Amino acid sequence: MPKTVGVIGGGLMGAGIAQVFVAAGAEVSVVETGDATAARQRVADGLAKAAERGKLADALDAALTRVSVVDDVSALPPAAELVVEAVPEVPALKVDVLTKAEQVIGEHAVLASNTSSLSIAGLGSALRRPDRFLGLHFFNPVPASGLVEIVTAPGTAAGVIEQARGWVRGLDKTDVVVRDSPGFATSRLGVLLGLEAIRMLEEGVADAEAIDTAMELGYRHPMGPLRSTDLVGLDVRLAIAEYLHATLGDRFAPPQLLRDKVADGQLGRKTGQGFHRWA
Ligand SMILES: NC(=O)c1ccc[n+]([C@@H]2O[C@H](COP(=O)([O-])OP(=O)(O)OC[C@H]3O[C@@H](n4cnc5c(N)ncnc54)[C@H](O)[C@@H]3O)[C@@H](O)[C@H]2O)c1
């Protein structure tokens, strides 16, 4: 496992990523340009919960001493063996923090992006060492999720991929290695199933409960495609579908029912109503 890790962005995902590396014994430096106190609290709360569940190898106090929060990428530890960026999904912002991080860390360090949709080759094109860059796509909530999707660009060095796979195993998670392509493996398949389920609703094949139950009990999916769309957020799903429609073609065309619900403010669990009622 890397002894020293940098995480850029201490929001929902960054705090989770920081937490799991701290729990695995690493010293983690989180770069947060917004509310640093809140970012530190997110990591500390997560570690406290992990301690309650007996998932920390050492004492909570000791784990907390391994977390620091800084306000600029230039303050990342030069000894960092891995730096993962988890700033908002804005290409220019990600390129900016990645190129700055590359100037601080050593030439053998690995740089990674937690992007859920952007091209890894595109984000890495401004780097001096694109061979040491890849996607490490963690899932929400990071501590409870068993998967990390490793996204490789054509220029990513084979040794870097193997190193990343070892680290993912060290976090007690499973990796899948996926070539840099729109939606990677997870979003591409998950969104397609969700879109087809919405089209089935439109066509009156069955109601939402029946469609979800069919997949949950018939195919042993832990959650049906409409319930899952509700959890992710219909607006988030629509944005991904539009991107996949533009890059992969008509099979990802968003159904009218999805557009109508988003326009109507029915965004899923976060608004209390999506394809199901959550209130
Ligand atoms: N939310 C999810 O379910 C999920 C799942 C997988 C991947 N992702 C990806 O993870 C990334 C982060 O998403 P999130 O949900 O954690 O967002 P978030 O808004 O919760 O966190 C982003 C954090 O980055 C900080 N930030 C902004 N600019 C910065 C800068 N220049 N330097 C340092 N920090 C900066 C913000 O203050 C914020 O705390 C995105 O690329 C997103 O697509 C999100």
Side-chain angles (χ1 to χ4, degrees):
M1 286 300 286
K3 287 197 181 64
T4 309
V5 173
V7 177
I8 310 174
L12 179 69
M13 296 304 290
I17 296 166
Q19 179 194 324
V20 295
F21 277 105
V22 170
E27 299 262 350
V28 177
S29 193
V30 179
V31 182
E32 172 58 61
T33 52
D35 188 339
T37 310
R40 193 183 161 82
Q41 198 57 50
R42 273 190 284 278
V43 182
D45 289 348
L47 285 169
K49 271 192 206 138
E52 271 169 31
R53 292 183 188 141
K55 290 196 169 167
L56 276 190
D58 53 358
L60 177 60
D61 285 357
L64 286 170
T65 63
R66 292 198 297 275
V67 188
S68 57
V69 180
V70 297
D71 64 0
D72 196 89
V73 177
S74 62
L76 276 171
E81 290 157 73
L82 168 69
V83 171
V84 186
E85 75 73 19
V87 298
E89 196 80 338
V90 178
L93 180 58
K94 288 190 182 285
V95 168
D96 181 57
V97 297
L98 287 167
T99 48
K100 285 182 178 149
E102 189 182 43
Q103 287 161 25
V104 179
I105 57 179
E107 61 181 77
H108 297 298
V110 172
L111 258 184
S113 171
N114 185 50
T115 180
S116 32
S117 67
L118 300 170
S119 157
I120 293 301
L123 291 177
S125 61
L127 295 174
R128 279 185 290 138
R129 296 185 294 273
D131 55 313
R132 305 207 60 79
F133 176 61
L134 42 61
L136 279 185
H137 184 200
F138 288 84
F139 293 80
N140 180 34
V142 178
S145 155
L147 179 72
V148 178
E149 198 171 29
I150 296 182
V151 186
T152 65
T156 308
V160 169
I161 300 168
E162 281 316 305
Q163 209 169 359
R165 297 190 68 189
W167 289 337
V168 169
R169 281 194 294 273
L171 294 176
D172 216 10
K173 299 188 186 297
T174 301
D175 67 280
V176 289
V177 178
V178 179
R179 180 169 64 80
D180 188 19
S181 52
F184 312 142
T186 46
S187 299
R188 185 162 165 173
L189 281 172
V191 168
L192 192 64
L193 199 62
L195 295 178
E196 194 60 25
I198 299 167
R199 283 190 277 266
M200 287 163 66
L201 255 190
E202 280 180 333
E203 292 167 17
V205 172
D207 64 21
E209 195 56 50
I211 291 170
D212 279 340
T213 303
M215 296 314 284
E216 287 162 8
L217 298 184
Y219 276 65
R220 294 216 238 163
H221 286 200
M223 193 184 294
L226 297 167
R227 237 184 290 285
S228 151
T229 303
D230 273 4
L231 276 195
V232 171
L234 275 64
D235 51 337
V236 175
R237 272 281 161 97
L238 176 59
I240 302 172
E242 279 172 337
Y243 171 70
L244 295 179
H245 183 205
T247 49
L248 295 175
D250 280 345
R251 62 195 190 280
F252 287 95
Q256 191 56 44
L257 179 60
L258 179 60
R259 292 191 185 285
D260 291 347
K261 280 188 169 286
V262 171
D264 196 32
Q266 295 181 37
L267 306 183
R269 187 172 67 167
K270 61 189 167 192
T271 62
Q273 177 70 52
F275 295 104
H276 297 276
R277 220 176 152 63
W278 293 84

